[in-house]
Amino acid sequence: MEAEEIPVLPRGVRLHYDHIREIWVLLAPERAVTLDAVGHAILSEVDGERSFGEITQKLAEKFNAPVDLIMQDSAGFLGALRARRFLDVSS
Amino acid sequence: MTTAKTAPPPIAMLAELTHRCPLSCPYCSNPIEMALQEAELSTETWTRVFQEAADLGVLQLHLSGGEPASRRDLTDLIAAAQKAGLYTNLITSGIGLSEKRLRDLDAAGLDHIQLSLQGTDAAMADEIGGYRGGFDRKMKVADWITKIGFPLTLNAVLHRRNLHQLPDMLKMAETMGARRIEVATVQFHGWALKNRDALMPTLEQAKETTRIVTEARLRLKGRLVIDYVSADYHSKYPKRCMGGWGSTGLNVTPDGQVLPCHAAQTIPHLTFDRVQDRPLADIWYNGSAFNAYRGTDWMAEPCKSCDRKTVDFGGCRCQAMALVGDASATDPVCQKSPHNAALQAQANTHAAHDRASFFYRSAPGKTPAPTE
């Protein structure tokens, strides 16, 4: 994932708070992916407008962590979602 | 209500809205004894069941049948499920859907469509579905689905007669813009069990299918996701059926029976509760059918001491019942089963029936009017 690329959740993929299990999940076609706090934080910033660079910059400030580390972790997480067609990317 | 929570809450529910269907595929997973139209649950009852499912922890609702589009209240049912907070997936052949109806489903909040594929041309698809014109109609429906923008999964059901069309099926999925294709080799339950001579793939076909899928997954990475259900009788280990009995999913039949899996009615000593009589959560946690094969306590050898027992949970209970006559036996697909060698031989015999014809599923219809 490049800094200028813009991630977006495609139609049919959405964040959902599971009140029964008290966790965040990503609902996708015939799948439900359990999200940890980090995964939820990353996806909460994905709005289809801001770039990967902008999102990770904001997360670095929010969590007071090095931006390189945030970029690396986020790229791995979003890349896995992209491979499953749960995330689209435009540039 | 007491709910001794012996299991986690279910993630998915399959709502079999009706057993009616314009197609009559010889591998239909519906039971041989189908529910009649007048026994089908009402819109109001399904609406209540969807809310009970959401309150129980179900996230994914699969609306299936038969052909779910045969229900005139399909749009109302999708709207009710959406209101309950469920992710809605319509499993359809496309027959019975018009562009107008699809737009209504869109407005009602339908999340995703799984469209079945019987073949890549009318000659093949219509022969398998037993419905002339079905393929052409399906292609129109696929166009409308794409135009409206629903996320689409193609469900390609494969067997000896159409396995050679797999490469074209993958191309079709790409052309349609499907995000996912399910490459599902027929599993032998329901009507398929009667059609093993006509449907059983050869061992060579099973191997070739795995090769094609492996190659296509690499080639199409990030474009098309391929879910693969391999040829069961030719496998070394059984499938983790339903993710483990009573652990992740439940089925509701058109007349309201709640099943741990779609074929569970073939196990004669099980009794099933109905949504009309008992709350869904009580059925899930305390129903006798759900607790019959939950976990591993019910297992005998070779499952009991096997290191894979929580990997595949001994495979499919219904298959053990159908092929070995004992629902608590190891699924004979497992190479550790004492019945495995016989099953392999049986598979090869079925696969060698070159000219076996289809035994089509019949329609449930209505009770004939009494004659005077």
Side-chain angles (χ1 to χ4, degrees), chain B residues 134-199:
Chain B
F135 180 78
D136 289 344
R137 182 69 186 181
K138 189 192 297 287
M139 292 303 104
K140 280 206 182 87
V141 171
D143 281 346
W144 295 326
I145 289 170
T146 310
K147 197 163 117 189
I148 294 168
F150 286 114
L152 172 67
T153 293
L154 274 190
N155 179 14
V157 185
L158 296 162
H159 43 80
R160 192 171 78 242
R161 294 278 289 276
N162 69 357
L163 262 166
H164 63 281
Q165 293 191 335
L166 175 58
D168 284 341
M169 289 175 174
L170 293 167
K171 276 184 208 146
M172 277 178 85
E174 275 195 281
T175 309
M176 287 177 188
R179 291 185 204 167
R180 188 164 144 258
I181 184 169
E182 210 173 293
V183 174
T185 317
V186 163
Q187 306 293 295
F188 294 101
H189 303 286
W191 295 82
L193 196 63
K194 290 175 174 288
N195 278 294
R196 285 180 294 180
D197 283 347
L199 297 173

Side-chain angles (χ1 to χ4, degrees), chain B residues 187-189 193 232-233 238 266 316-326 331-333 343:
Chain B
Q187 306 293 295
F188 294 101
H189 303 286
L193 196 63
D232 208 26
Y233 287 25
T266 60
C316 173
R317 300 303 86 229
C318 306
Q319 185 144 280
M321 184 72 229
L323 301 180
V324 185
D326 175 5
D331 186 333
V333 163
L343 183 81

Side-chain angles (χ1 to χ4, degrees), chain B residues 59-88:
Chain B
L59 297 170
Q60 292 273 345
L61 177 68
H62 307 297
L63 297 135
S64 179
E67 172 50 62
S70 296
R71 287 277 304 216
R72 289 188 179 179
D73 57 353
L74 182 62
T75 304
D76 294 338
L77 293 173
I78 300 281
Q82 208 272 341
K83 195 171 165 231
L86 298 166
Y87 190 100
T88 50

Side-chain angles (χ1 to χ4, degrees), chain B residues 162-347:
Chain B
N162 69 357
L163 262 166
H164 63 281
Q165 293 191 335
L166 175 58
D168 284 341
M169 289 175 174
L170 293 167
K171 276 184 208 146
M172 277 178 85
E174 275 195 281
T175 309
M176 287 177 188
R179 291 185 204 167
R180 188 164 144 258
I181 184 169
E182 210 173 293
V183 174
T185 317
V186 163
Q187 306 293 295
F188 294 101
H189 303 286
W191 295 82
L193 196 63
K194 290 175 174 288
N195 278 294
R196 285 180 294 180
D197 283 347
L199 297 173
M200 185 69 66
T202 64
L203 181 59
E204 291 68 31
Q205 276 183 316
K207 285 180 179 165
E208 175 65 1
T209 305
T210 300
R211 191 196 64 75
I212 291 172
V213 168
T214 308
E215 182 277 323
R217 273 180 174 160
L218 279 175
R219 182 167 50 84
L220 301 170
K221 195 178 173 207
R223 281 190 288 153
L224 181 68
V225 176
I226 304 175
D227 284 348
Y228 179 40
V229 181
S230 60
D232 208 26
Y233 287 25
H234 295 302
S235 301
K236 284 182 183 167
Y237 292 111
K239 296 190 168 58
R240 180 188 170 103
C241 198
M242 295 297 290
W245 186 277
S247 72
T248 52
L250 71 167
N251 286 17
V252 182
T253 66
D255 55 358
Q257 297 182 70
V258 188
L259 314 179
C261 86
H262 66 260
Q265 287 160 310
T266 60
I267 301 178
H269 63 265
L270 295 181
T271 54
F272 304 101
D273 295 296
R274 301 190 317 156
V275 294
Q276 298 94 315
D277 308 327
R278 205 173 168 184
L280 199 63
D282 191 27
I283 297 173
W284 172 258
Y285 289 114
N286 303 313
S288 62
F290 281 87
N291 283 313
Y293 300 107
R294 219 167 221 158
T296 56
D297 288 350
W298 55 271
M299 288 179 178
E301 294 296 351
C303 290
K304 198 173 179 177
S305 59
C306 181
D307 59 5
R308 289 178 57 88
K309 73 175 174 184
T310 55
V311 176
D312 54 36
F313 289 97
C316 173
R317 300 303 86 229
C318 306
Q319 185 144 280
M321 184 72 229
L323 301 180
V324 185
D326 175 5
S328 60
T330 301
D331 186 333
V333 163
C334 181
Q335 57 187 1
K336 293 182 180 177
S337 162
H339 304 280
N340 183 253
L343 183 81
Q344 301 281 335
Q346 197 185 350

Side-chain angles (χ1 to χ4, degrees), chain A residues 54-76:
Chain A
E54 289 169 308
I55 288 169
T56 44
Q57 186 61 48
K58 187 175 170 199
L59 287 170
E61 287 163 19
K62 190 172 168 186
F63 293 100
N64 196 22
V67 72
D68 288 356
L69 186 68
I70 294 277
M71 278 191 109
Q72 199 183 331
D73 289 355
S74 305

